[in-house]
Amino acid sequence: MKAMGVFALMLIFGLFSADLPFSSAQTIFNVLDYGAKADGKTDDSNAFSAAWKAACSAGTQNPTVVVPSRKDFLVYPLTFQGPCKSSSISFQVIGTINAPSSPSVWRGRNARRWLIFHGVTGLLITGNGTFNGHGSEWWDLSCADHPRKTGCATVIPMALNIIHCKRSTISDIYTIDSAKYHVVVNQSSDILVKNMHITAPESSPNTDGIHIELSQNVLVNNSVIATGDDCVSIGELSSNINVSYVTCGPGHGVSIGSLGRYGNSVKVENIHVKKVNFKGTTNGVRIKTWQSTGVHISEVTYDDIVGTSSSNAAIHLNCSHSIACTGITLSSIKIESDKSGQQVISECTNAHGTNSGVVQPKSCLQS
């Protein structure tokens, strides 16, 4: 009865406050109430910005921006800026948020990132809705992939960006067809990414599912990722990263790097990848470095790996000639060829470490 009484009181307050539609006690901030047209054609950026600013400045606990179901919203590049007044804030996506589909409309805008959550603590992005990057027209424009193409693009937008955020969660969200990376965690800490569905065509370039860099204490859990590049990529100066219970493929697997691009010493440590199912990927788990004397790879364990390989070299440890990989452990590995009757091998260059249990194909580590 108490709950019903409170609800009735809220309705009565709304009737007597028609000239003040948004009260200081408000907890729900529906983008439709801030002018969003939700027709998939009209620019709803201002409505999203207004709803966020109202929620972020609200004095109530856990204010929630709502993107309602069965609606399509067109949103141009936008930053949802923190810090917010409340210790926690939710961004509930039940409908579909669409990026502009034509690269031409990005001119004069931030073409590096589409949606940015910046400087927010206690952020929750959830709701079973969809972020649609509409990236197909970008995929053939990349100067990196098409260097001879006239008018190629050197900057391509990444979809959902979490920057300088703390103690935040992204869960139960669909992201599809980003022009570049789908989810980026940058300069953030204590971030949970779970129950995600991330998809793009296998042929789409640089469409990493989740990219983590300059961040600490990030958990990626219980997600399905199928794109044209890494399912999860971990960049420089990241630590305490855990990737588990992920279905990966198609794509390029789970990657650390590329590291040492500018010849500098970089630190990436305490990375754990476990219970990941790779299917139709070009790689499993890999560490990528540039040809540089600044990168020393050490204390890496590959354990409890079972599967098939489409390439002849199922294990490939190609370390720098000038700085060896050290402290490598291969343990309980059984990888066979996906072609009946064929054998697979391991290939090592300047890789040193130990073996534990059965390692198939035969290990090539130096002691």
Side-chain angles (χ1 to χ4, degrees):
M1 289 296 293
K2 289 183 179 180
M4 291 178 64
V6 171
F7 182 66
L9 180 62
M10 290 174 65
L11 290 178
I12 293 171
F13 180 84
L15 290 174
F16 283 98
S17 307
D19 57 332
L20 296 171
F22 308 116
S23 76
S24 60
Q26 182 180 358
T27 58
I28 301 299
F29 300 82
N30 191 318
V31 295
L32 294 177
D33 294 333
Y34 291 84
K37 300 302 182 185
D39 58 10
K41 299 176 181 179
T42 304
D43 180 5
D44 287 325
S45 304
N46 288 338
F48 273 68
S49 179
W52 173 263
K53 288 177 180 178
C56 191
S57 61
T60 54
Q61 280 300 306
N62 196 34
T64 301
V65 175
V66 174
V67 181
S69 63
R70 295 188 296 276
K71 302 289 185 181
D72 280 284
F73 301 87
L74 174 62
V75 178
Y76 282 73
L78 188 60
T79 296
F80 301 99
Q81 185 66 52
C84 296
K85 191 170 183 179
S86 174
S87 60
S88 62
I89 184 169
S90 296
F91 193 91
Q92 188 176 46
V93 181
I94 312 173
T96 299
I97 304 176
N98 298 280
S101 58
S102 173
S104 63
V105 303
W106 289 74
R107 293 189 186 120
R109 304 175 187 270
N110 180 7
R112 186 175 298 278
R113 303 181 190 275
W114 175 32
L115 301 176
I116 302 172
F117 289 85
H118 187 277
V120 185
T121 297
L123 171 67
L124 171 62
I125 302 175
T126 189
N128 291 308
T130 300
F131 292 89
N132 190 334
H134 290 283
S136 60
E137 291 190 35
W138 287 97
W139 297 333
D140 291 329
L141 287 180
S142 169
C143 291
D145 296 294
H146 306 280
R148 298 180 181 177
K149 188 180 185 70
T150 302
C152 67
T154 57
V155 176
I156 295 178
M158 297 172 278
L160 181 58
N161 300 267
I162 307 300
I163 303 176
H164 282 295
C165 292
K166 298 178 181 178
R167 299 191 298 278
S168 297
T169 297
I170 311 172
S171 71
D172 301 288
I173 289 293
Y174 291 77
T175 69
I176 63 174
D177 294 346
S178 178
K180 197 176 179 183
Y181 306 157
H182 285 76
V183 177
V184 175
V185 179
N186 186 314
Q187 301 175 78
S188 297
S189 61
D190 303 308
I191 305 297
L192 172 61
V193 184
K194 66 175 183 176
N195 303 334
M196 298 290 288
H197 290 77
I198 302 175
T199 58
E202 185 176 1
S203 59
S204 59
N206 302 311
T207 53
D208 295 34
I210 301 169
H211 178 71
I212 303 164
E213 62 182 9
L214 302 167
S215 296
Q216 296 76 44
N217 305 323
V218 180
L219 172 61
V220 178
N221 179 258
N222 196 36
S223 295
V224 177
I225 305 173
T227 69
D229 210 296
D230 297 325
C231 293
V232 180
S233 57
I234 302 165
E236 299 183 355
L237 298 176
S238 295
S239 60
N240 301 325
I241 312 298
N242 287 270
V243 180
S244 61
Y245 297 97
V246 170
T247 298
C248 171
H252 294 179
V254 174
S255 298
I256 300 174
S258 297
L259 306 176
R261 180 173 185 176
Y262 302 105
N264 57 318
S265 179
V266 296
K267 197 171 192 179
V268 176
E269 59 184 357
N270 201 19
I271 311 298
H272 298 271
V273 179
K274 64 180 182 180
K275 303 296 183 182
V276 175
N277 181 21
F278 300 97
K279 185 174 182 180
T281 57
T282 57
N283 303 279
V285 180
R286 61 178 177 166
I287 301 173
K288 303 184 292 181
T289 67
W290 293 83
Q291 289 298 324
S292 162
T293 59
V295 180
H296 174 212
I297 297 173
S298 65
E299 308 307 320
V300 178
T301 297
Y302 297 91
D303 177 51
D304 192 21
I305 299 174
V306 178
T308 60
S309 173
S310 60
S311 60
N312 183 47
I315 300 173
H316 188 61
L317 304 174
N318 183 19
C319 302
S320 168
H321 288 283
S322 55
I323 296 184
C325 298
T326 59
I328 309 300
T329 300
L330 301 180
S331 174
S332 302
I333 296 174
K334 186 177 181 180
I335 303 176
E336 301 175 330
S337 175
D338 67 350
K339 303 173 184 66
S340 179
Q342 292 195 17
Q343 301 295 315
V344 292
I345 62 172
S346 60
E347 292 182 347
C348 294
T349 301
N350 209 12
H352 299 257
T354 59
N355 306 296
S356 175
V358 176
V359 177
Q360 180 184 336
K362 185 178 179 180
S363 173
C364 55
L365 285 173
Q366 301 177 53
S367 59

